[in-house]
Amino acid sequence: MQYESEWYAAQDMPADSSRATASAGRAAYFWQFLVLACPTPFIMTELDPLRYPIGLPQLPPTPLTAAERAPYLQQLAELPAQLTAAARQVGGERLQQPYRPGGWTGRQVIHHVADSHINAYCRFRLALTEGNPTIRPYDEAAWAELPDVAATPITVSLALLDSLHSRWLTLLHHLDEAQWQRTFYHPGNQKTSTLEQTLVLYAWHGRHHLAHLNQLAA
């Protein structure tokens, strides 16, 4: 099973990948696990700049101050408008093309961000109301191949993201310091993460996929 890119950044291997590609993908997942699990920066060679145009996420090993969290909250707030502007710049025809050889199309990227951030919002709410809950991973490669991805206009997912981020940011701006340190457990990488680390991760996730759209627009 392929787990979602929030935890394994080799997120866009097609569902019908060859056995060799799948094996390479499993190796990529392993290395990404090391990066996300390691509390200090992990040096990785030969990082594909088309797949990771902004690099890998750097999660904070210690609690952040409110001032340190502010830029990540701002990135989440700005993402829906930025994705909408990027999609307009790319245009309908190019959105049907992959942003890199073997990668997702622009359309799949946009629908994926909506899927991913819906899951993120639910994980925050679970962590705030339960004691270190075990969250439910999902097979994002399979989700990207579901028929609604091809049939649904991207404007639907962009509008969904706008409303979702409005609700999500309202919640985040009302968290106290103790709530930011609440946790959930991800069985895919067998790691417990704080909500603060998850904020940083999803801020990166949005910018990561925004960069993919910008590659299509270039």
Side-chain angles (χ1 to χ4, degrees):
M1 179 178 183
Q2 293 177 338
Y3 293 106
E4 68 273 19
S5 62
E6 293 89 333
W7 301 101
Y8 297 93
Q11 78 294 335
D12 48 10
M13 183 167 56
D16 60 351
S17 298
S18 67
R19 184 170 298 179
T21 302
S23 176
R26 285 193 294 272
Y29 289 146
F30 173 74
W31 288 109
Q32 177 67 355
F33 164 75
L34 291 180
V35 172
L36 295 181
C38 185
T40 57
F42 186 87
I43 298 175
M44 208 176 158
T45 59
E46 298 184 7
L47 195 65
D48 183 353
L50 293 179
R51 186 173 232 173
Y52 307 112
I54 64 168
L56 295 173
Q58 296 294 323
L59 305 188
T62 57
L64 301 177
T65 65
E68 290 170 332
R69 279 193 300 271
Y72 301 109
L73 292 168
Q74 187 63 29
Q75 288 167 22
L76 281 184
E78 293 173 351
L79 181 66
Q82 291 173 332
L83 285 175
T84 298
R88 286 174 179 157
Q89 185 175 5
V90 173
E93 184 174 340
R94 280 189 291 177
L95 284 172
Q96 310 303 321
Q97 301 173 5
Y99 72 87
R100 66 172 180 84
W104 280 339
T105 66
R107 168 183 290 275
Q108 287 176 306
V109 167
I110 291 169
H111 289 311
H112 161 72
V113 176
D115 289 342
S116 172
H117 289 204
I118 290 170
N119 276 275
Y121 174 69
C122 292
R123 292 170 185 181
F124 269 77
R125 298 185 76 81
L126 287 169
L128 289 167
T129 56
E130 301 177 19
N132 192 37
T134 298
I135 57 91
R136 175 73 161 82
Y138 67 98
D139 185 340
E140 64 170 19
W143 282 37
E145 297 298 329
L146 288 172
D148 64 314
V149 173
T152 304
I154 61 166
T155 51
V156 173
S157 281
L158 291 170
L160 188 159
L161 276 167
D162 189 52
S163 295
L164 174 66
H165 276 227
S166 177
R167 179 78 183 272
W168 193 7
L169 267 295
T170 298
L171 173 66
L172 298 183
H173 281 299
H174 284 82
L175 298 187
D176 60 31
E177 294 301 319
Q179 288 173 315
W180 279 112
Q181 302 312 315
R182 292 185 68 89
T183 60
F184 63 80
Y185 175 76
H186 194 297
N189 62 8
Q190 301 180 356
K191 184 174 182 289
T192 295
S193 297
T194 67
L195 292 186
E196 192 167 71
Q197 290 173 322
T198 308
L199 165 68
V200 173
L201 190 57
Y202 279 94
W204 169 86
H205 182 257
R207 293 184 296 110
H208 170 68
H209 286 303
L210 176 63
H212 291 159
L213 292 183
N214 288 334
Q215 286 173 191
L216 275 173

